[in-house]
């Protein structure tokens, strides 16, 4: 996705990628812990709308994307990505509302983890 939005952006080293994945996992856990506390106050659906809006503000503040020069492919990619993220958040926060936080997060990671292991080509990747 970043290569579509920022074609000239240097994605950094492998260590940078690992760090970004770890920060993403950490932010998911922290966000979910805050979200659970908000459910009794504003409900799961309101939290589902609030979290991506807060995330978008952080991303725009950090990345400062220049959207004025985007072509149709970039705009449609961002819209489709937003719809996918919205659907994922709705499902995840509804699961947190129904199940304990640890179980919901474990189930969320099971799919991508199983796919990564199944598609790994090296033994170290599977590990």
């Amino acid at each position: 996705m970043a290569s579509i939005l920022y074609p000239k952006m240097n994605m950094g080293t492998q260590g940078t990628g690992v760090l970004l994945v770890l920060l993403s996992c950490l932010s998911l856990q922290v966000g979910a812990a805050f979200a659970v506390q908000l459910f009794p106050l504003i409900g799961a659906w309101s939290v589902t709308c609030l979290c991506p809006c807060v995330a978008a503000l952080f991303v725009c503040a950090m990345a400062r994307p220049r959207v004025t020069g985007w072509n149709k492919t970039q705009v449609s990619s961002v819209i489709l990505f937003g719809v996918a993220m919205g659907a994922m958040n709705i499902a995840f926060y509804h699961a947190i509302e129904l199940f304990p936080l640890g179980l919901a997060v474990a189930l969320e990671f099971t799919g991508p983890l199983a796919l990564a292991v199944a598609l790994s080509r090296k033994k170290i990747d599977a590990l």
Side-chain angles (χ1 to χ4, degrees):
M1 186 66 171
S3 62
I4 292 172
L5 300 177
Y6 306 102
K8 296 180 182 177
M9 183 178 175
N10 181 4
M11 294 309 291
T13 64
Q14 186 176 5
T16 304
V18 170
L19 178 65
L20 290 173
V21 168
L22 292 174
L23 288 173
S24 173
C25 293
L26 178 67
S27 71
L28 175 69
Q29 300 300 323
V30 172
F34 279 119
V36 169
Q37 303 302 316
L38 290 175
F39 287 164
L41 301 173
I42 61 175
W45 297 107
S46 298
V47 172
T48 301
C49 294
L50 182 64
C51 286
C53 293
V54 171
L57 290 174
F58 275 106
V59 168
C60 287
M62 291 182 347
R64 298 185 181 181
R66 296 182 183 176
V67 297
T68 55
W70 288 3
N71 60 34
K72 289 181 182 180
T73 302
Q74 291 169 319
V75 171
S76 63
S77 295
V78 168
I79 290 170
L80 288 173
F81 183 66
V83 168
M85 291 299 291
M88 182 204 70
N89 278 328
I90 288 169
F92 179 64
Y93 286 121
H94 187 60
I96 290 175
E97 190 177 35
L98 297 175
F99 304 116
L101 178 61
L103 177 62
V105 171
L107 289 174
E108 181 188 26
F109 276 119
T110 300
L113 181 61
L115 189 61
V117 170
L119 296 177
S120 65
R121 295 184 178 150
K122 300 176 187 176
K123 290 181 180 179
I124 190 70
D125 292 339
L127 179 63

